[in-house]
Amino acid sequence: MILKKKLFAVILIIMLLCVTLLSGCASFDRSAYVQAALDSLYKGEHTLFSEITKTDVSVLEQNYEEAIDAEMESFLTYMGIADYASYISEETRSDIRLLIRDVYSHASYSVGSEDENGTVTVRILPIDLYSATNSALTAYMDDFFEKNDAHEFSELTDEEFYTQYITGIVDILRKSLDDITYTSEVSIPVDIEVTDHNVYSISQQSLDDIDSHIINYNF
């Protein structure tokens, strides 16, 4: 468990908010925009972001689901079995997606007011999921591989083997959600980019910075 977390990938980075200054762009609320964007990306709460960006909720939901899928692939990589992901049953993949949804629901962030430069500061309490479960995960993995070395899984198919392995990990992580903890607060300045045509968007770097701190992968 030493691989870095993915860089965040979303399909709707740039949202068309207004076309001319007459439509209200001069008083555009950047803090509300960032808050709504994060709620859509991590909480699956799309109503306000849909209203701000004039984007259909179904598109935002697709965006959210693709982010969940990307996090799932990152999770499998982090657990060292990305090369064997094809052996994970679809039922188990569904369990992983549900786990990630539930983890994201615990995302803790607050959005400040924009400063004189139009920058909005987001304060994040990173979810301490993997650090808090490190001992339990390590013990589980050691036991699993000892049993494997003793040929206790020799009659399992590849799908059964890798599904059993990752299911044990998911069970440990899920149990920890009842007592979720967080690491120290991190402040991230979020840049809002504006084109000559009054198209507003959160910079890709800011999105990457936020996503790299939502869950603590460094311990």
Side-chain angles (χ1 to χ4, degrees):
M1 297 185 294
I2 60 175
L3 296 176
K4 292 184 178 180
K5 192 172 185 287
K6 69 180 188 314
L7 290 179
F8 196 50
V10 291
I11 60 173
L12 271 178
I13 299 302
I14 296 179
M15 298 294 184
L16 183 63
L17 300 183
C18 44
V19 177
T20 68
L21 290 176
L22 294 177
S23 64
C25 285
S27 60
F28 176 61
D29 190 336
R30 298 178 184 223
S31 294
Y33 170 50
V34 173
Q35 181 73 52
L38 297 183
D39 289 346
S40 179
L41 292 172
Y42 293 109
K43 308 286 189 178
E45 299 170 0
H46 308 305
T47 301
L48 182 56
F49 201 45
S50 174
E51 292 174 357
I52 292 174
T53 63
K54 303 299 185 287
T55 304
D56 193 273
V57 169
S58 64
V59 175
L60 298 178
E61 181 62 25
Q62 179 185 353
N63 199 45
Y64 173 70
E65 292 294 340
E66 292 196 5
I68 295 292
D69 285 342
E71 187 71 46
M72 179 179 66
E73 298 306 320
S74 181
F75 168 80
L76 294 175
T77 298
Y78 191 70
M79 292 303 165
I81 61 170
D83 291 342
Y84 310 100
S86 61
Y87 296 122
I88 305 300
S89 69
E90 188 53 44
E91 179 180 358
T92 302
R93 284 178 171 270
S94 295
D95 290 341
I96 297 171
R97 289 188 186 95
L98 182 58
L99 171 68
I100 293 170
R101 282 175 175 269
D102 291 341
V103 172
Y104 273 176
S105 73
H106 289 279
S108 179
Y109 47 82
S110 60
V111 180
S113 301
E114 66 178 275
D115 62 19
E116 63 275 11
N117 298 316
T119 300
V120 174
T121 297
V122 175
R123 293 178 172 82
I124 298 173
L125 290 175
I127 298 171
D128 199 24
L129 180 65
Y130 295 108
S131 177
T133 57
N134 185 49
S135 295
L137 288 173
T138 299
Y140 167 76
M141 292 175 181
D142 288 346
D143 180 66
F144 189 92
F145 292 131
E146 285 179 9
K147 291 178 179 178
N148 186 49
D149 291 341
H151 307 291
E152 293 189 27
F153 305 129
S154 58
E155 295 184 2
L156 298 181
T157 64
D158 287 339
E159 180 174 306
E160 291 170 338
F161 176 82
Y162 288 107
T163 293
Q164 181 171 324
Y165 174 68
I166 204 68
T167 295
I169 291 174
V170 169
D171 289 344
I172 291 171
L173 295 176
R174 176 159 293 288
K175 290 176 183 177
S176 75
L177 293 183
D178 293 335
D179 300 299
I180 200 88
T181 58
Y182 301 87
T183 62
S184 301
E185 182 180 270
V186 178
S187 294
I188 298 176
V190 176
D191 296 320
I192 308 297
E193 299 175 341
V194 188
T195 72
D196 293 338
H197 301 289
N198 298 317
V199 177
Y200 286 66
S201 66
I202 301 174
S203 73
Q204 184 65 56
Q205 184 61 57
S206 294
L207 284 171
D208 291 342
D209 289 343
I210 290 170
D211 195 63
S212 68
H213 287 93
I214 289 293
I215 301 174
N216 176 36
Y217 278 76
N218 302 310
F219 59 91

